[in-house]
Amino acid sequence: MNNLIKIIDKTLSSIGKILVGTLAAGVIISVFLRYVFSIAFVWSEELLTMVFVATTFFGAALGMREQEHIGISYFAEKTSEKTQKILTLVTYGIIAVVSGFVFVYSILLMKKVGSTPSPATGIPRGAYYTMMPITFALTLWYCFVGVLSQYRHIEAPEKEYKDDLDLLKETQQEI
């Protein structure tokens, strides 16, 4: 089970890195073309917007696994361990229910408007909207992993970006 979780974690992390890299390169090129050559492509703005949305959706799913979402744990930390476990299970349950609804309704949305072409690129909107059921299915998966981790040992996620942040801090201190 831990191996499957690691594979999904690494894949999602790699997708996130690719999306962020694409977004950064696209924005830099777009700004350069706009301000140096006075050239602007509407289709590139649309694609960059969709890449930005994708980074948000995939990042939210990964944030679920890494427990990096904002939470107010002050009161929960004051309770017993058993109560904390119950609160954790209730939280995962609420997130799973909401994610399940969004998963189902995103598929219905794709069926209704998925064949409509986007205005600038002409790409069917369904191609953009596929990220919704995928990321909410991943969120449901990570809810399952979170619940399972309350009863069985699940290895903590490897937060690769933490190493990058530590390296950045060391570099800044050297300067």
Side-chain angles (χ1 to χ4, degrees), residues 126-148:
Y128 296 139
Y129 295 159
T130 55
M131 74 183 90
M132 290 170 54
I134 291 170
T135 55
F136 281 96
L138 287 167
T139 302
L140 284 166
W141 164 254
Y142 285 135
C143 282
F144 169 73
V145 169
V147 169
L148 189 62

Side-chain angles (χ1 to χ4, degrees), residues 4-64:
L4 176 62
I5 294 169
K6 278 185 183 180
I7 290 169
I8 294 172
D9 290 351
K10 290 271 188 196
T11 303
L12 193 53
S13 180
S14 296
I15 289 169
K17 289 176 184 178
I18 290 167
L19 288 171
V20 168
T22 301
L23 182 62
V27 168
I28 290 168
I29 291 168
S30 181
V31 168
F32 180 77
L33 289 174
R34 185 178 307 124
Y35 290 106
V36 174
F37 297 110
S38 297
I39 299 172
F41 298 107
V42 176
W43 59 267
S44 69
E45 299 299 323
E46 183 177 294
L47 287 176
L48 288 173
T49 301
M50 287 301 114
V51 171
F52 177 71
V53 171
T55 60
T56 304
F57 277 93
F58 283 99
L62 190 59
M64 181 72 191

Side-chain angles (χ1 to χ4, degrees), residues 99-161:
S99 296
F101 275 109
V102 176
F103 176 81
V104 168
Y105 283 101
S106 65
I107 291 173
L108 294 174
L109 173 71
M110 287 174 45
K111 286 180 181 177
K112 280 192 174 187
V113 297
S115 61
T116 305
S118 63
T121 61
I123 296 172
R125 290 187 185 268
Y128 296 139
Y129 295 159
T130 55
M131 74 183 90
M132 290 170 54
I134 291 170
T135 55
F136 281 96
L138 287 167
T139 302
L140 284 166
W141 164 254
Y142 285 135
C143 282
F144 169 73
V145 169
V147 169
L148 189 62
S149 71
Q150 298 297 309
Y151 300 101
R152 187 174 162 198
H153 173 70
I154 302 289
E155 291 180 26
E158 294 178 22
K159 299 180 182 180
E160 296 174 19
Y161 58 87

Side-chain angles (χ1 to χ4, degrees), residues 46-106:
E46 183 177 294
L47 287 176
L48 288 173
T49 301
M50 287 301 114
V51 171
F52 177 71
V53 171
T55 60
T56 304
F57 277 93
F58 283 99
L62 190 59
M64 181 72 191
R65 165 68 171 134
E66 296 179 353
Q67 298 178 348
E68 291 289 335
H69 288 291
I70 295 173
I72 302 170
S73 59
Y74 177 78
F75 297 111
E77 291 171 354
K78 302 282 185 199
T79 62
S80 68
E81 193 172 310
K82 184 178 179 182
T83 305
Q84 286 180 17
K85 188 175 189 177
I86 291 169
L87 290 173
T88 299
L89 294 174
V90 168
T91 302
Y92 280 124
I94 291 169
I95 293 169
V97 167
V98 171
S99 296
F101 275 109
V102 176
F103 176 81
V104 168
Y105 283 101
S106 65

